[in-house]
Amino acid sequence: MNKIKIGVIFGGMSTENEVSCISGASVIKHLNKEKYNVFPIYIDKIGNWYKVKLEDIEKSEELENKEDIENITEYLKQMDVIFPVLHGLYGEDGTIQGLFELLKIPYVGCHVLASSVGMDKYVSHILVESYGIKVVKN
């Protein structure tokens, strides 16, 4: 049986970069390595993408041994599925989900619309209220 190639993306350009790294390490630690070939992908705070060694993450070491991803789209297209573990802007707001949709890469989590509406509290409020669900006043 061929292992599923799963890209786990963490870090990101939000203020929650460090929290995302902790979450990403936890996801990676708990993935079944007999079923998945895990490809850790780190995005730094300014938007650079890196390949990271699995053993560095499992040892909770600093991400010093990271390697630039020169062609992000081609690298992502090699994956069978993407597991985004990004918090905040550019991770939970539909942005990266839109990238995966454009590249036709399956991914874990909500799609673009649900992600963007979920991050926009004002739009969420209006949408929920339109279904007759009571919400607090703005």
Side-chain angles (χ1 to χ4, degrees):
M1 173 174 108
N2 290 338
K3 291 183 182 181
I4 297 168
K5 292 183 282 186
I6 185 166
V8 179
I9 302 178
F10 59 95
M13 297 189 298
S14 84
T15 56
E16 300 180 59
N17 177 288
E18 290 84 3
V19 174
S20 172
C21 289
I22 294 167
S23 299
S26 179
V27 167
I28 290 166
K29 177 182 176 185
H30 291 93
L31 284 170
N32 182 343
K33 307 304 185 293
E34 292 180 17
K35 185 175 181 179
Y36 300 104
N37 275 331
V38 181
F39 296 85
I41 302 167
Y42 172 67
I43 303 174
D44 70 16
K45 291 180 181 180
I46 59 171
N48 297 309
W49 293 53
Y50 300 96
K51 298 176 194 177
V52 181
K53 293 185 179 187
L54 187 60
E55 53 272 12
D56 288 349
I57 292 171
E58 290 175 338
K59 294 176 190 172
S60 298
E61 293 181 10
E62 292 294 320
L63 302 175
E64 296 172 358
N65 298 321
K66 54 189 187 282
E67 178 186 338
D68 286 337
I69 299 175
E70 293 182 26
N71 188 328
I72 297 163
T73 56
E74 289 305 312
Y75 188 71
L76 292 176
K77 285 182 179 182
Q78 296 174 43
M79 305 299 150
D80 296 315
V81 64
I82 300 290
F83 195 138
V85 191
L86 297 165
H87 301 300
L89 293 176
Y90 310 111
E92 292 178 301
D93 63 354
T95 305
I96 200 152
Q97 292 82 358
L99 173 64
F100 304 146
E101 293 282 335
L102 286 169
L103 296 175
K104 296 180 173 49
I105 303 170
Y107 58 95
V108 174
C110 297
H111 292 278
V112 176
L113 181 60
S115 297
S116 62
V117 168
M119 279 291 288
D120 189 319
K121 303 310 178 221
Y122 179 73
V123 172
S124 295
H125 183 98
I126 292 170
L127 183 64
V128 169
E129 191 174 43
S130 76
Y131 281 94
I133 300 171
K134 293 185 180 194
V135 296
V136 297
K137 299 274 186 230
N138 280 336

